[in-house]
Amino acid sequence: MTRLRYGVAAAALAVAGLLTGCSAEPAGNAAAASSEPVPVVATTPQVADFVRNIGGDDVTVTQIVKPGVDPHDYEPTPADMQAVAGAKLVVKNGVGLEKWLDRTISSAGYTGTVVDASANVALRPDDPHIWHNPLNAKIMVADIEKGLAAADPARTAVFAENLADYSAELDELDADNLAAYARIPADQRKLVTNHDAFGYYVDRYRLDFVGSVIPSMDTSAELSAKQLTDLVAKIRATGTKAVFTESSLPPKTAEAIAAQAGVKVVASLYGDSLGPAGSDGATYLTAERHNTATIAGALAG
């Protein structure tokens, strides 16, 4: 009987040892997996730049819309769908800017988390260009930080520290923008752009939006002959000094309107997109500083 009990006990210990040994390998694999960067798909250049700043070396970012490309009418590629399928997190701008995203996610079979960076932003009606107010950008990166922390809780402290650092840079950007426009008389702060992409910027810095070459927040709209004539008349009547083109849109119509109105053309703002590496618009911060320097310089001159 004693030998039987000993045999049972020994067998139980052996099984326990096997179970412990089996569980040790997955734990090691989990630790190794957690050291890998989080694969993130970001829709637009601005959103991708935010993710890179908050995630740092702890994320790998696949950016769908490339610099200088209009996001309104973008057509996803098979490579985009493959990236979405392999992502742990998808981050979008929201407010209908990425009309193509839902079908891309469906085609890719992605069932993970989608972070809508616009979720807590106070929105203008149907206006997706929320990032042009740096205070909105602070809200967007805070939402992104929460999404990254949920995707990789072990790195929560790192993401939080990155968020604090980048938020301070956004505060500095906003303060510099306010100072730039404080030097320009209110009656000279008149803005005409390619399309209506700067509503949040106009509201934040108290500019007077005279009109846009494309009479819409969506670049697919077209200017009628009457609207063109009316815009030229309005530019003349208000004493507007310039028409500003945008990096992701053809400048020809803007140039024609400026010529008819007898004002200068100023190229070019980063409206819907950022610029390529090495340009003034390579990052969100440099693009917004470029926009302010360009607009304020032209209005002051």
Side-chain angles (χ1 to χ4, degrees):
M1 182 67 69
T2 302
R3 290 179 179 177
L4 178 60
R5 287 176 181 168
Y6 176 80
V8 172
L13 287 171
V15 171
L18 287 172
L19 290 175
T20 302
C22 290
S23 63
E25 181 62 26
N29 289 343
S34 67
S35 68
E36 294 297 318
V38 180
V40 181
V41 167
T43 55
T44 67
Q46 295 87 351
V47 168
D49 189 52
F50 292 157
V51 175
R52 292 187 190 102
N53 276 280
I54 305 307
D57 294 335
D58 294 310
V59 299
T60 55
V61 182
T62 301
Q63 176 182 315
I64 292 183
V65 181
K66 300 303 184 281
V69 175
D70 183 355
H72 293 277
D73 299 318
Y74 182 75
E75 288 295 330
T77 66
D80 296 332
M81 295 181 192
Q82 184 177 5
V84 170
K88 190 167 185 180
L89 195 68
V90 172
V91 183
K92 68 176 182 177
N93 179 85
V95 206
L97 182 64
E98 306 98 330
K99 298 174 183 176
W100 38 266
L101 182 60
D102 286 347
R103 69 176 182 271
T104 303
I105 287 174
S106 177
S107 298
Y110 178 76
T111 58
T113 300
V114 177
V115 174
D116 183 346
S118 72
N120 295 303
V121 173
L123 301 176
R124 301 174 77 246
D126 302 317
D127 188 347
H129 307 90
I130 54 178
W131 63 89
H132 284 304
N133 181 342
L135 302 186
N136 289 346
K138 285 183 68 176
I139 296 171
M140 296 171 76
V141 294
D143 289 339
I144 290 169
E145 186 270 338
K146 290 176 184 174
L148 290 174
D152 191 348
R155 291 169 170 145
T156 296
V158 175
F159 297 144
E161 182 178 356
N162 293 344
L163 174 63
D165 291 343
Y166 192 66
S167 295
E169 293 190 76
L170 293 172
D171 284 334
E172 182 180 0
L173 169 67
D174 184 54
D176 290 346
N177 288 351
L178 288 168
Y181 289 112
R183 294 189 286 268
I184 301 172
D187 62 355
Q188 293 182 26
R189 301 176 197 166
K190 295 180 172 64
L191 188 66
V192 175
T193 58
N194 266 114
H195 82 300
D196 190 1
F198 290 89
Y200 294 94
Y201 187 94
V202 166
D203 289 349
R204 176 59 182 160
Y205 302 116
R206 299 183 180 181
L207 306 184
D208 180 5
F209 185 68
V210 175
S212 58
V213 174
I214 300 171
S216 172
M217 297 171 191
D218 191 328
T219 55
S220 62
E222 295 182 2
L223 191 69
S224 68
K226 183 179 185 308
Q227 287 171 320
L228 189 152
T229 301
D230 289 346
L231 180 56
V232 169
K234 195 172 182 181
I235 291 171
R236 290 173 175 167
T238 57
T240 300
K241 293 182 177 181
V243 175
F244 295 88
T245 65
E246 297 173 42
S247 63
S248 60
L249 294 173
K252 289 185 177 180
T253 305
E255 291 168 349
I257 287 175
Q260 289 186 44
V263 300
K264 61 186 174 182
V265 174
V266 179
S268 62
L269 304 180
Y270 295 100
D272 276 343
S273 186
L274 299 183
S279 71
D280 287 345
T283 70
Y284 170 79
L285 291 172
T286 60
E288 292 299 312
R289 289 190 180 281
H290 166 89
N291 287 348
T292 296
T294 301
I295 297 170
L299 298 186

